[in-house]
Amino acid sequence: MAVHDISALESGASSVERVPLSRRDAILTSIDRALGHLVEIPAALLVVAEVIILFIGVVARYGFHRPLIWSDELSSILFLWLAMLGSAVAFRRGEHMRMTALVASVGPRMWAFLDVVGTCAALAFLLMIVAPSFEYAYEESYITTPALQIANSFRAAALPVGISLMIVFALLRLVRYGQVRTVLTALGTVVAIIGLFWLAEPLLRTLGNLNLIIFFVGVVALCVFAGVPIAFGFGLAIFGYMALTTHTPMMVLVGRMDEGMSHLILLSVPLFVFLGLLIEMTGMARAMVAFLASLLGHVRGGLHYVLIGAMYLVSGISGSKAADMAAVAPVLFPEMKARGAKPGDLVALLSATGAQTETIPPSLVLITIGSVTGVSISALFTGGLLPGVVLAITLGVLVWWRYRGEDLSHVKRASGRDIFKAFIVSVPAIALPFVIRAAVVEGVATATEVSTIGIVYAVLAGLLIYRQFDWNRLKPMLVDTACLSGAILLIIGTATGMAWGLTQSGFSRSLAAAMTGLPGGGATFIAVSIVAFVILGSVLEGIPAIVLFGPLLFPIARLVGVHEVHYAMVVILAMGIGLFAPPFGVGYYAACAIGRVDPAEGIRPILGYLLALLIGLIIVAIFPWISIGFL
C-alpha cells in the first residue's frame, strides 16, 4: 500500500474491530459519500479555473500586451479555496501523509488503535483552530482587494470552511468505526495528553526557549512516530507552543497558515501535479521513457541516472521542489518499478534529487537571497550550476554501487535505428521541459504561470500528435490533483506557523549572536552553518528560512572572509538536505505523497543518499571554486 489510507486500514482490521454493517452505518456511509462528492466537484473545478485564468493572463500580457491586473488576485483567492478543499478531500480519503515505520511493527490491534488516535489527534487540532479561523475570516472582511475591490474575507473564508469540513469527515469516520471502546480509549488518550500539557502551563511559561525543544522536537516526534498525519502533528506542536507559552492570539497562527499555503508561487504545485498526470495519460510519458530507456536501459541503474538528470533539467522551472518532483516522478516511476526498482528506493532518490537541485537557476531561493542580502542575482545564478553537478555525481556514484549487480539479462540493448525511431516519437515530449524553461527565461510567463503553458502543450500533444486523451479520466485526475495538493499545502501551512514561532521566540537572533563569536574563522563558521541549516531546513521552507536568517548571517560570512556566493551555495544545499531528511523534513513527505509511497519504505534507502549528498556538500564547502570559479 503506497500511501496509508485510514479507511483502508480500518477495513484491513475488520476482523478485530468492525461489526456487521447496520442500517445506521449504511446511512452514515451514504452521507459521507454524498458530502465527499460535494467537496470533490468544486475542488476539481477550481483546478480547471486556475489553469484557465493563468493561461489567459499569459496570453493577454505576452500576446496582446494588455495585462489583466486582476488575474493574479483572482488566482490567489481561488488558490486558498483549492488548498483547503483539497485538504478536506485528502482527509476524507485518509491521504494526508504520515509516518508508519513504528506503527506498522506493533501488530494489527495496536495499529488499528493508533490509527484512531491519529484521527482523534487531527480532530483535536481542527477543533482548537476552527474558532480562530472564523475570527480570522471576519477580520479579513475589513480588507478590500486592490484589483477586484471585494472583501478579502471571500478568500479567507476558505480556512474555516475547509477546517469545518475536515471536522465533519473526522466525526463521520469515528462514528462509523465499529468498536466504540477503541474510539473512546483513543479519545481519552488524546484528551489526557492535551490536559497534561494544559495543567503544565505555569511550568512551561518559566522554561523560555527550552519550550522549542519540548514542542518542536518532542511533540512533533511523538505525533510523527505515533502515526498522526504530519500536517496535524506540526499543527498541534505550534498551537501548543503558542497557547501555553505565549500570549499570542490563535488568530495569528491561522494567519501564518494562510500565508504559508496561499503564497502564489505554490500554485505551481497543483498545476504541475496535474501536468504530470496529463503527461502520463496522453502517452507523452511512455514516449519519453521509451527513448530514455533505449539510451540507458541496458546500463545498470540506467533510469536512476535519468531521474537525476531529469530533476537537474526541470529544477527551478516552477519555484517549488514539490512541483519539480511532481513533473518528473509520474514520467519515470512506472517504468522504473516495472524494471524491479523498489518504491522506497525511488522516493528516496527523488527526495535526494530535490535537495541536489536547490541551487540550480532559475531558483526562487537564489532570487530571495539576492533580494534580502544584496548579493548579485546573476552571480548566484552562475554560481548555482556546478554545485548541483557535484551532488549529481555523488548520487550517481551511489546509484552505480547499489545497482552494480542488477540483472539486466531480460533487457535487450536497442539498436541505433530503434533509438532514432524512439527519439523521433519522443521529440514533442522531450521538448516540454525546454519549452517550460524557455518560457520562464524569456519572460513569457512567471514561474507560477509556466505550468499552464505546459498543460496546454500536453493537451494539444495528446489530442493532435499522440492521439491519446481519455476524457473519462479527466475528472478523477482533477480530484487527485486537488487531493494531493491539499495534503502537501497543509503541511507547508502548519510548517510556516512553526517558522513564525521560531522567529518570535528570538531563536534567530540568539543563533546569529552565537555564530559570530565562533573560533576558527571561516571554516568553523561554514561547518556550524551546515549543521544549523540542516536542522533549520527540516522545519522551514527555503524562502522563509532565507528571509529569517539571510540578513543576519550573510554579513557575518563577509566578516569572517567567506565569499557570499560560496556561502549561499553551502547554506542552500545544507537546507535542502534538512528539508528532504526524515523524520521531520517536509520535502520528504511531499516526495512520498507525489510518489504515492509509504514514508516508512523510503527511510532505509534515503540514508545512503543523504550521506552522498553530505559528501557532495562537503566538497562544495571545501572548494569555493566550484561556486565562484566562473564569476
Side-chain angles (χ1 to χ4, degrees), residues 300-605:
R300 292 184 174 91
L303 292 184
H304 291 72
Y305 300 128
V306 172
L307 176 59
I308 295 171
M311 280 295 289
Y312 189 96
L313 287 174
V314 306
S315 181
I317 58 178
S318 69
S320 166
K321 288 297 106 179
D324 293 340
M325 293 185 294
V328 171
V331 177
L332 292 175
F333 273 23
E335 179 65 20
M336 295 171 80
K337 290 177 181 177
R339 287 169 175 262
K342 296 180 180 179
D345 186 63
L346 293 183
V347 79
L349 181 57
L350 181 65
S351 298
T353 56
Q356 165 224 334
T357 55
E358 286 277 53
T359 65
I360 299 169
S363 165
L364 284 182
V365 177
L366 294 177
I367 295 172
T368 303
I369 286 180
S371 64
V372 301
T373 66
V375 181
S376 167
I377 294 177
S378 62
L380 291 169
F381 277 15
T382 302
L385 293 170
L386 276 185
V389 172
V390 171
L391 267 65
I393 292 172
T394 59
L395 289 175
V397 170
L398 181 58
V399 167
W400 169 81
W401 176 261
R402 284 187 169 178
Y403 287 87
R404 66 190 186 282
E406 184 180 13
D407 180 16
L408 296 180
S409 58
H410 61 288
V411 178
K412 181 181 178 182
R413 183 166 186 166
S415 66
R417 182 174 181 177
D418 290 336
I419 294 175
F420 180 74
K421 287 175 62 177
F423 171 72
I424 295 299
V425 174
S426 68
V427 164
I430 293 175
L432 178 58
F434 298 96
V435 169
I436 292 175
R437 184 174 291 275
V440 175
V441 174
E442 298 299 324
V444 177
T446 66
T448 302
E449 297 167 336
V450 71
S451 52
T452 64
I453 294 178
I455 289 172
V456 173
Y457 180 98
V459 170
L460 293 177
L463 290 172
L464 304 178
I465 300 175
Y466 294 104
R467 303 293 179 90
Q468 296 183 41
F469 199 94
D470 187 351
W471 292 97
N472 293 326
R473 290 181 58 188
L474 197 55
K475 180 190 171 184
M477 285 166 52
L478 291 168
V479 175
D480 287 345
T481 297
C483 175
L484 179 57
S485 303
I488 294 171
L489 292 167
L490 190 61
I491 291 176
I492 294 174
T494 51
T496 302
M498 293 177 65
W500 184 87
L502 283 172
T503 305
Q504 296 304 305
S505 70
F507 174 74
S508 57
R509 293 187 297 274
S510 300
L511 175 66
M515 295 181 74
T516 305
L518 289 173
T524 304
F525 178 71
I526 286 181
V528 173
S529 294
I530 289 174
V531 175
F533 275 94
V534 167
I535 295 172
L536 291 173
S538 67
V539 295
L540 296 172
E541 281 285 311
I543 290 176
I546 290 301
V547 172
L548 293 176
F549 298 103
L552 295 172
L553 295 179
F554 273 75
I556 302 173
R558 298 187 193 104
L559 288 175
V560 297
V562 177
H563 196 287
E564 51 200 7
V565 173
H566 177 218
Y567 185 64
M569 299 306 133
V570 171
V571 162
I572 292 172
L573 292 175
M575 199 159 43
I577 291 174
L579 183 64
F580 287 91
F584 301 111
V586 175
Y588 174 72
Y589 298 106
C592 292
I594 289 165
R596 300 192 178 278
V597 174
D598 177 8
E601 294 187 43
I603 294 294
R604 186 180 295 274

Side-chain angles (χ1 to χ4, degrees), residues 117-141:
V117 168
T119 301
C120 293
L123 177 61
F125 172 69
L126 294 168
L127 289 173
M128 290 187 291
I129 208 71
V130 65
S133 70
F134 277 100
E135 182 182 358
Y136 176 76
Y138 175 76
E139 292 294 328
E140 290 292 296
S141 66

